[in-house]
Amino acid sequence: MRDIKIYSDLFGDGLHNGQIKWTPYVQPGRSAVDVEWLYTAEQTGPTGAEAYIAHFRPGSYGDLHEHLGYEVLLILEGELHNDNGDRYPAGTLFVETPTSVHQVSSPTGCVALVIREKGTRPVTAADFEKTTAAAAEQGDS
């Protein structure tokens, strides 16, 4: 048996021709993001891989989180912003490494292919500041 999903013309009209069935990505700290799941951790195991096409509507943002494994993002349309000031326009591919902490947003909206080796862990701003301070302190030693 062969079970396969095919998405056509994603660099053309394929993002808007109805072949993608967007569902809200409901998660604390995330707003105005819809996804088309390609595969989920439910299918690959509790710490398994997941992949999806994400539609960040204008003004959307994700939660502050730490990556438990590698994540590959390919921006298909629009522009994604990272909390460190980086901006990723359409055609940009970037890789987040394990233990990387960040928060993304899209003031004007974007669509991205997201492939995660493992999931993420929510991080509070206070936890992030403690970790950053501890790392800076170790660097001074």
Side-chain angles (χ1 to χ4, degrees):
M1 181 172 99
R2 183 174 183 215
D3 187 10
I4 184 171
K5 292 180 182 181
I6 297 174
Y7 298 88
S8 302
D9 196 26
L10 291 182
F11 297 109
D13 189 45
L15 296 174
H16 306 284
N17 66 7
Q19 71 178 321
I20 297 176
K21 308 298 182 219
W22 300 114
T23 58
Y25 193 166
V26 179
Q27 184 181 49
R30 186 177 296 272
S31 177
V33 180
D34 301 310
V35 297
E36 165 81 337
W37 287 101
L38 305 177
Y39 51 89
T40 68
E42 287 180 4
Q43 295 168 299
T44 62
T47 61
E50 57 188 20
Y52 54 93
I53 301 170
H55 176 222
F56 290 81
R57 289 179 268 146
S60 62
Y61 55 86
D63 65 330
L64 179 64
H65 60 271
E66 175 184 12
H67 288 269
L68 303 176
Y70 287 94
E71 177 181 77
V72 175
L73 281 96
L74 173 61
I75 308 305
L76 301 171
E77 178 180 271
E79 185 175 78
L80 189 68
H81 294 192
N82 213 332
D83 62 351
N84 69 354
D86 288 348
R87 293 178 175 206
Y88 310 113
T92 303
L93 182 139
F94 65 99
V95 178
E96 291 284 346
T97 59
T99 71
S100 171
V101 176
H102 74 131
Q103 182 175 22
V104 296
S105 64
S106 186
T108 58
C110 76
V111 179
L113 172 64
V114 181
I115 303 169
R116 289 181 175 161
E117 177 184 59
K118 295 182 180 182
T120 61
R121 178 183 74 81
V123 175
T124 66
D127 288 340
F128 182 63
E129 287 176 23
K130 285 180 197 173
T131 303
T132 303
E137 194 172 289
Q138 284 183 346
D140 293 340
S141 301

